[in-house]
Amino acid sequence: MPLGQRAGDKSESRYCGMEVLDFPAGEELPAVLSQSLSSAFDFLLAPLVDPGYRPAPGAVLPVAASDLVLSPSQWSSHIVGKISEWIDLDSEDEQLRLDSEVTLKQEIAWASHLSLQACVLPPPKRSSCANYARVVNHILQGLTNMQLWLRIPLEKSEPMDEEHDEAKNNSNMTLGYGGIHFDYYVGCSLIRSTLPSMNSLGRWFGEPVRAAILQTNAFLTNSRGYPCLSKRHQMLLTGFFNHSVQVIISGRSNHNISQVGLLSGDENHTEDTSVRHALGPYLEYIAYIYQRMDPLPEQERFEINYRDFLQSPLQPLMDNLEAQTYETFEKDTVKYSQYQRAIAKALVDRVSDDEVSTIKTVLMVVGAGRGPLVRASLQAAEETGRKLKVYAVEKNPNAVITLHSLIKLEGWESLVTIISSDMRCWDAPEKADILVSELLGSFGDNELSPECLDGAQRFLKPDGISIPSSYTSFIEPITASKLHNDIKAHKDIAHFETAYVVKLHRVARLAPTQKVFTFDHPNTSSNPSNQRYTKLQFEIPEDTGSCLVHGFAGYFDAVLYKDVHLGIEPNTATPNMFSWFPIFFPLRKPIHVPSKSPIEVHFWRCCGSTKVWYEWAVTAPSPSPIHNSNGRSYWVGL
């Protein structure tokens, strides 16, 4: 039974399981499952094989139960297999190591026979675990439908901080030995000892965490004697819920409660019923945490299917946009509201109140599309009482057809002149007072706004106004295991040298954003080149610990006019705007960043006669190749 209803959330985080601690031999497993399901748990994490088993010639695997004691749907829907915890694949004892390898393969084979959806592997016994990686990779090559979850302790123990930190990072790298692509997840165990810092915990959101195994000794006791969690545990749990992570309750009850309380709106409010399950109070508290989360905002619901989905950026000069793309962008009312505000301010600055009856402002919309900026401009003129003459310049002949229909429908024939031409080639009959465009990409300049506006600048008056007047790109290093594995699946370098537009979700942001490139319009620089180079150094917060960098997330912030801006840079992002997702610059090989080590990255914006492209490389703490040299894999065509 789901933990509750949360508007917009259809993820598997709604389901909670429990770990079976004792070996359920024979008919015990169906009884345990039946009791757990009737007590609102959704699945069991259960041992598959007697923990006392060691392989021997002719020995039959002592499984917990025959495959006949549960139906195939029960096995696949309600049981997650727990691999024997004694297994030590990197033991110095050769016999133990060999027995571990044989047993692991036998248990995985049995789990696959049962059609289980997942098995939980025991945590590595030491930070160096190459043989563990080798054996698991062998197994993964033969699996098709079953996932492997690796149990990793998540705790803070002062004398062992570095060891735990190293183990956590080795878990990222261990299963990647040999360069084999696979689909694995991490199950992390929360225990009672003090949690690491929030920066350190934040790294987990960039990892493929599938389940949070929450031990009962992590719970505190409230004033009524019921289990509850510390504020930091609650924050972490909420973060996991937001990242589609399921909870598995593990351990024995530490709270002597004769009556189970049903929580309703207040963690101290209970209604008494008879006891049904020893872990019932813990489940109810987890349900309470889930149910009190805010519903997903409307924008998040709209974007949920795009989460962590890699998309190639638009090629607006090479390709003509389709009607569906135009329609999606035109629904972003926040963006056009900001444009209208900027245009209104520019009109007021351009024409004083005393001149409104005598002066007509010439405004050119370059890249008019199907007309949303034309509409915003005319609405700004009506709002401010200014006279306006509009030129709508658009190169897409299909969009021009729609423009003509719009102008006729709205009765704007005397106000708007439609020009079917590339703005870089058009010879304007007069100079413009205001030049308006929406040529910005996720990285600001990545859809060639600088090149387009530099080409159109010749028909802007010397004292004319450009909207936008400037824009700046930003980047930050991120951990993004899912994105890395999705790119790796293509098995070529070119995909690692391509920038992607992506709704970032399962990522860990490791350091504050920094500025990359800035472009101003009109461009009055003595050096008109749009080539750029910058070197940036990111300091990872000290309490984060070591981490993996899979690439860099890119954003932009644009000044439309004076104090009117729009953008997606996280610190200043325009609320409720969905026209742009961030851009992602991947690294061919993840960079391991030790604690207290800075990240040094270089970015180039290169311009050729027919294309513009980016190159990027990391030089510290370890060097990476220069990605996309000479635009060999990814470019934007002029």
Side-chain angles (χ1 to χ4, degrees):
M1 180 182 297
L3 294 172
Q5 298 298 322
R6 182 187 179 212
D9 184 8
K10 302 297 182 184
S11 71
E12 293 186 353
S13 62
R14 297 174 295 158
Y15 303 109
C16 184
M18 63 156 284
E19 181 173 10
V20 178
L21 300 179
D22 301 318
F23 181 64
E27 294 299 317
E28 290 182 28
L29 183 60
V32 172
L33 178 61
S34 176
Q35 182 194 17
S36 299
L37 293 179
S38 66
S39 300
F41 286 98
D42 295 294
F43 62 94
L44 298 179
L45 171 58
L48 299 177
V49 173
D50 188 330
Y53 168 72
R54 297 297 183 274
V60 177
L61 191 69
V63 297
S66 162
D67 54 354
L68 300 176
V69 301
L70 297 177
S71 69
S73 63
Q74 287 178 311
W75 282 113
S76 63
S77 300
H78 299 299
I79 302 295
V80 172
K82 182 168 68 171
I83 303 302
S84 296
E85 296 184 353
W86 62 265
I87 288 175
D88 185 356
L89 289 156
D90 290 279
S91 172
E92 294 184 3
D93 182 328
E94 184 177 7
Q95 190 58 51
L96 175 57
R97 178 170 55 80
L98 294 174
D99 286 350
S100 297
E101 183 169 341
V102 170
T103 303
L104 177 60
K105 291 179 178 179
Q106 288 177 328
E107 293 193 26
I108 294 294
W110 176 245
S112 185
H113 170 74
L114 297 174
S115 300
L116 301 190
Q117 292 190 20
C119 279
V120 174
L121 302 174
K125 300 293 191 292
R126 51 192 55 79
S127 60
S128 177
C129 45
N131 195 54
Y132 198 147
R134 182 189 68 85
V135 174
V136 171
N137 263 314
H138 286 183
I139 293 171
L140 284 165
Q141 291 179 70
L143 291 181
T144 53
N145 299 318
M146 190 168 69
Q147 300 167 355
L148 298 184
W149 302 353
L150 179 64
R151 189 192 296 243
I152 300 292
L154 176 58
E155 61 183 338
K156 182 176 182 181
S157 177
E158 295 297 341
M160 299 177 66
D161 268 355
E162 292 300 320
E163 181 177 336
H164 278 296
D165 195 49
E166 185 65 23
K168 190 264 182 192
N169 283 288
N170 277 341
S171 77
N172 297 329
M173 297 181 288
T174 294
L175 298 181
Y177 273 76
I180 299 170
H181 174 69
F182 50 84
D183 184 16
Y184 82 97
Y185 293 88
V186 174
C188 63
S189 176
L190 314 183
I191 67 173
R192 182 162 187 168
S193 59
T194 306
L195 289 172
S197 70
M198 293 309 295
N199 281 328
S200 179
L201 292 174
R203 295 177 299 174
W204 288 97
F205 299 134
E207 300 292 349
V209 180
R210 188 65 177 79
I213 304 173
L214 183 58
Q215 295 187 347
T216 53
N217 62 12
F219 286 82
L220 307 175
T221 304
N222 68 12
S223 59
R224 296 178 61 88
Y226 284 83
C228 63
L229 290 170
S230 71
K231 294 295 184 184
R232 295 188 67 215
H233 280 82
Q234 291 179 44
M235 289 175 61
L236 179 62
L237 205 57
T238 299
F240 278 144
F241 283 146
N242 279 324
H243 286 78
S244 305
V245 176
Q246 297 173 305
V247 170
I248 299 173
I249 298 174
S250 174
R252 306 190 189 281
S253 176
N254 295 318
H255 294 76
N256 256 335
I257 303 172
S258 58
Q259 299 291 323
V260 173
L262 300 176
L263 297 166
S264 56
D266 181 347
E267 64 180 277
N268 292 315
H269 174 74
T270 65
E271 298 173 4
D272 290 338
T273 64
S274 59
V275 174
R276 297 187 65 187
H277 197 290
L279 298 182
Y282 301 92
L283 173 62
E284 290 163 6
Y285 185 80
I286 298 303
Y288 161 71
I289 295 294
Y290 180 84
Q291 292 167 15
R292 74 175 187 178
M293 293 171 64
D294 293 331
L296 281 177
E298 185 177 350
Q299 182 180 352
E300 283 294 316
R301 293 186 216 179
F302 171 79
E303 297 172 349
I304 197 166
N305 292 328
Y306 295 97
R307 286 177 174 176
D308 296 324
F309 178 72
L310 297 166
Q311 304 175 68
S312 297
L314 296 175
Q315 293 270 7
L317 291 187
M318 291 178 60
D319 304 328
N320 288 326
L321 301 184
E322 298 176 349
Q324 186 175 359
T325 305
Y326 281 121
E327 183 176 1
T328 300
F329 291 147
E330 289 163 6
K331 289 179 179 178
D332 194 342
T333 57
V334 172
K335 174 177 66 174
Y336 294 113
S337 174
Q338 290 296 91
Y339 266 99
Q340 185 174 328
R341 284 184 57 214
I343 295 167
K345 283 178 176 281
L347 287 172
V348 170
D349 286 351
R350 197 74 184 170
V351 180
S352 68
D353 290 340
D354 297 334
E355 300 171 310
V356 293
S357 61
T358 58
I359 294 181
K360 181 178 286 187
T361 302
V362 177
L363 182 146
M364 295 181 180
V365 178
V366 288
R370 302 198 308 181
L373 281 184
V374 173
R375 184 183 299 277
S377 300
L378 293 174
Q379 288 174 340
E382 182 179 357
E383 173 191 335
T384 59
R386 267 56 179 176
K387 293 182 178 182
L388 199 60
K389 180 179 182 180
V390 177
Y391 288 90
V393 186
E394 174 55 47
K395 74 172 184 66
N396 183 350
N398 303 307
V400 169
I401 295 172
T402 308
L403 266 176
H404 279 290
S405 299
L406 175 68
I407 301 308
K408 185 176 180 180
L409 178 66
E410 298 289 350
W412 294 339
E413 290 93 339
S414 62
L415 301 175
V416 180
T417 301
I418 299 173
I419 307 297
S420 181
S421 173
D422 188 319
M423 70 186 77
R424 297 170 296 172
C425 306
W426 177 51
D427 290 323
E430 59 183 316
K431 298 284 188 178
D433 297 286
I434 302 174
L435 194 66
V436 182
S437 65
E438 54 171 332
L439 304 168
L440 299 169
S442 298
F443 204 47
D445 58 87
N446 63 295
E447 292 185 11
L448 306 188
S449 179
E451 285 69 26
C452 292
L453 293 183
D454 285 355
Q457 184 174 316
R458 69 187 185 281
F459 45 75
L460 181 66
K461 291 178 181 178
D463 63 342
I465 297 169
S466 174
I467 297 176
S469 61
S470 69
Y471 37 89
T472 300
S473 52
F474 296 80
I475 61 168
E476 64 180 346
I478 61 172
T479 298
S481 294
K482 182 184 185 306
L483 300 183
H484 178 82
N485 285 331
D486 286 350
I487 298 170
K488 186 178 178 182
H490 292 283
K491 300 181 179 179
D492 60 27
I493 291 176
H495 283 82
F496 275 113
E497 296 190 333
T498 298
Y500 298 93
V501 173
V502 57
K503 169 62 178 174
L504 298 175
H505 182 62
R506 195 178 282 274
V507 302
R509 294 171 169 84
L510 302 173
T513 61
Q514 292 189 36
K515 295 180 180 180
V516 187
F517 308 130
T518 296
F519 292 88
D520 296 296
H521 299 288
N523 183 1
T524 58
S525 170
S526 57
N527 178 16
S529 172
N530 288 319
Q531 294 205 146
R532 297 286 192 276
Y533 162 72
T534 191
K535 178 177 72 173
L536 301 173
Q537 188 171 90
F538 292 91
E539 300 288 342
I540 307 297
E542 188 172 321
D543 60 353
T544 299
S546 59
C547 57
L548 280 180
V549 176
H550 293 103
F552 295 86
Y555 315 92
F556 80 92
D557 186 78
V559 176
L560 294 180
Y561 183 67
K562 290 190 172 179
D563 62 341
V564 183
H565 91 104
L566 59 76
I568 59 171
E569 194 278 323
N571 297 307
T572 59
T574 307
N576 303 317
M577 188 176 65
F578 56 81
S579 284
W580 296 276
F581 292 151
I583 198 167
F584 176 57
F585 295 93
L587 294 173
R588 283 158 56 180
K589 183 179 179 181
I591 300 291
H592 177 250
V593 183
S595 178
K596 304 177 185 178
S597 297
I599 303 169
E600 187 175 83
V601 61
H602 303 251
F603 262 79
W604 295 264
R605 186 183 196 269
C606 306
C607 302
S609 58
T610 59
K611 64 182 183 181
V612 174
W613 69 96
Y614 299 100
E615 299 178 13
W616 60 97
V618 172
T619 50
S622 58
S624 76
I626 294 179
H627 291 65
N628 197 34
S629 178
N630 203 35
R632 64 187 176 188
S633 301
Y634 159 68
W635 69 90
V636 187
L638 288 167

